[in-house]
Amino acid sequence: MDHRDAEQPADGHSPDARAATGPLAGLRVVEMGQLLAGPFCGQMLGDMGADVVKIEDPAKGDPLRQWGRDLPRGESLWWSVVGRNKRSVTLNLREAEGQDLARRLIADADVVLENFRPGTMERWGLGYEALSELNPGLVMVRVSGFGQDGPYSQRAGYGAIGEAMGGLRYVVGDPSTPPSRMGISIGDTLAALFATIGALAALRERGTSGRGQIVDSAIYESVLGVMESLVPEWQVSGYQRERTGAVLPNVAPSNIYPTRDGQWLLIAANQDTVFVRLAEAIGQPGLATDPRYATHGARGERQAELDALIAEYTLGQDADPLHEALDLHGVPCGKIFRPADMLADPQYRARGSITEVDHPVLGPVSMQNVFPKLSRTTGTVRWPGPPLGQHTAEVLAEIGVDGPALAALRERGVA
């Protein structure tokens, strides 16, 4: 049986959607757009209990369904995370009928979320002015590379470009190499985080005014927003931050150190009292009173020398016993975790940082849980990213589209 035609409860709502108990339960979000910057915002809202209705193109759906290093049994593990807790509805938004159905879905929504190039929604008759006439309390979250206005607004705005323009790429990597990538799509993720904060703020304000508004989250500005004092350092004192690799310049010891068993241990003992404890832990208490290393300033001046001394010691130790010894001495340290470490770690297990979700094709799939945790109404992962169009019949039934009407829409390529 086609998953799109699966029998639904008599009230037209998914059992899982009804079971949402997070702090945003009862909130309706209509998600448009694709890939990461917008959909990650939708993921976070869904994680906290919102009913997220994701509209996808009937032909291929969100391209993220095909992304990832590996597609076991044709399934994207990335999609299983970003698409979780969402109901997938297929609508062709390039067709007038699809646009009309979208408007009907948005009529009683709290949030509409999109990350198309600015102007796309307006061309489809789905701009904020038109939608707010239909639904005055609507909050419209718009995520883009450069924002909704300004001379760059119509440029293609990928996350990598926003990372470069926002100042992050220049300071990431080793000073001997060109600017580096973070290893994850951090620009998109930051834009989604700021979009989520904006959505919640706009919803809070709506409680006072009764009116919705636009949340305009630009990738480059979201990156800029976490760049600490980068701009005033240059503007006031002419100081330009540079790539520093694993170290914090003039703050020592604070670096990653190799161990005998081929692992890396991050040790952060730059504070004077902590350095005393580190010197004791490695059997060289005299380092703490040696004028070359006794003060924060002195250690900063001899950073490379001190790092080499500590690395010489750690190379003679295995990572786990060394970690335990440093812990006993109250020295902040940590292994450089990979997924295998996360799945085995007692802290991860105790807090449920990783949850296991049943996937209809892959079986149990481990993924990050919902963060942050709330003491009374914490969010949950109720299901992984669903098959394309799994909830089309269910959701369209909620706006009065019956079986024959849906069949006709599918025949015309609208749903």
Side-chain angles (χ1 to χ4, degrees), residues 3 31-32 36 43 120 124 127 146 153 172 180 196 201 204 207 250 252 260 292 297 311 319 335 388 405 409:
H3 60 74
E31 177 190 305
M32 302 178 184
L36 196 55
Q43 177 197 322
T120 301
W124 291 342
F146 304 102
S153 62
V172 173
S180 299
T196 303
R204 170 65 180 85
N250 302 317
R260 182 168 55 195
R292 296 174 298 169
K335 292 170 64 176
L388 178 61
L409 290 169

Side-chain angles (χ1 to χ4, degrees), residues 17-300:
R18 284 201 310 263
T21 56
L24 300 183
L27 199 75
R28 169 66 67 87
V29 178
V30 175
E31 177 190 305
M32 302 178 184
Q34 57 192 25
L35 295 177
L36 196 55
F40 185 55
C41 173
Q43 177 197 322
M44 288 187 287
L45 296 173
D47 283 352
M48 289 295 174
D51 175 19
V52 180
V53 175
K54 180 173 178 64
I55 296 178
E56 301 184 72
D57 181 79
K60 295 183 178 179
D62 192 322
L64 197 66
R65 292 177 176 277
Q66 303 302 320
W67 281 34
R69 293 282 183 179
D70 188 26
L71 295 175
R73 300 183 214 168
E75 297 291 322
S76 166
L77 295 171
W78 201 347
W79 167 252
S80 73
V81 177
V82 177
R84 71 191 193 186
N85 294 332
K86 300 178 184 179
R87 296 198 283 168
S88 173
V89 174
T90 53
L91 285 180
N92 186 347
L93 295 177
R94 292 170 177 81
E95 297 288 339
E97 285 184 290
Q99 296 159 9
D100 180 62
L101 288 166
R103 278 188 285 271
R104 290 166 63 183
L105 288 172
I106 293 168
D108 64 350
D110 298 284
V111 177
V112 62
L113 166 63
E114 63 94 6
N115 66 326
F116 298 113
R117 191 176 297 192
T120 301
M121 294 287 283
E122 283 74 12
R123 288 196 300 274
W124 291 342
L126 299 172
Y128 182 71
E129 287 190 11
L131 295 178
S132 62
E133 287 184 9
L134 183 69
N135 182 351
L138 181 69
V139 171
M140 188 174 199
V141 179
R142 314 195 74 167
V143 187
S144 62
F146 304 102
Q148 298 299 309
D149 53 15
Y152 299 169
S153 62
Q154 293 303 307
R155 292 183 180 179
Y158 278 43
I161 308 303
E163 293 165 23
M165 185 175 173
L168 181 63
R169 287 290 180 110
Y170 185 79
V171 299
V172 173
D174 188 86
S176 64
T177 67
S180 299
R181 182 176 182 269
M182 286 288 290
I184 58 171
S185 304
I186 190 70
D188 289 311
T189 303
L190 286 171
L193 286 166
F194 278 97
T196 303
I197 293 168
L200 297 177
L203 289 168
R204 170 65 180 85
E205 192 279 336
R206 186 183 70 174
T208 301
S209 68
R211 298 171 57 199
Q213 59 184 305
I214 297 172
V215 176
D216 182 357
S217 178
I219 296 175
Y220 87 92
E221 288 175 335
S222 300
V223 173
L224 176 64
V226 300
M227 293 307 294
E228 301 174 352
S229 54
L230 179 96
V231 172
E233 285 170 358
W234 167 257
Q235 184 262 325
V236 174
S237 63
Y239 173 72
Q240 171 65 61
R241 291 199 192 190
E242 301 288 344
R243 293 180 294 287
T244 61
V247 305
L248 190 59
N250 302 317
V251 176
S254 182
N255 205 340
I256 56 172
Y257 301 93
T259 61
R260 182 168 55 195
D261 52 354
Q263 299 191 60
W264 294 92
L265 200 65
L266 195 151
I267 301 174
N270 48 287
Q271 189 177 346
D272 288 350
T273 54
V274 180
F275 183 68
V276 171
R277 299 199 293 269
L278 173 64
E280 293 174 350
I282 65 175
Q284 300 185 54
L287 290 176
T289 55
D290 187 323
R292 296 174 298 169
Y293 311 121
T295 67
H296 184 274
R299 290 192 299 276

Side-chain angles (χ1 to χ4, degrees), residues 322-397:
L322 176 58
H323 196 317
E324 292 175 9
L326 293 174
D327 278 343
L328 287 173
H329 284 81
V331 177
C333 63
K335 292 170 64 176
I336 305 297
F337 273 37
R338 290 173 290 185
D341 303 298
M342 299 173 188
L343 290 167
D345 187 76
Q347 179 70 12
Y348 271 75
R349 289 200 302 268
R351 285 180 56 84
S353 303
I354 291 177
T355 188
E356 192 172 87
V357 184
D358 188 42
H359 191 284
V361 176
L362 302 174
V365 173
S366 296
M367 64 179 67
Q368 58 267 48
N369 212 331
V370 177
F371 313 124
K373 298 175 182 292
L374 277 64
S375 62
R376 289 190 298 103
T377 59
T378 200
T380 57
V381 181
R382 303 182 297 282
W383 64 85
L388 178 61
Q390 179 179 2
H391 304 97
T392 302
E394 169 185 308
V395 172
L396 293 188

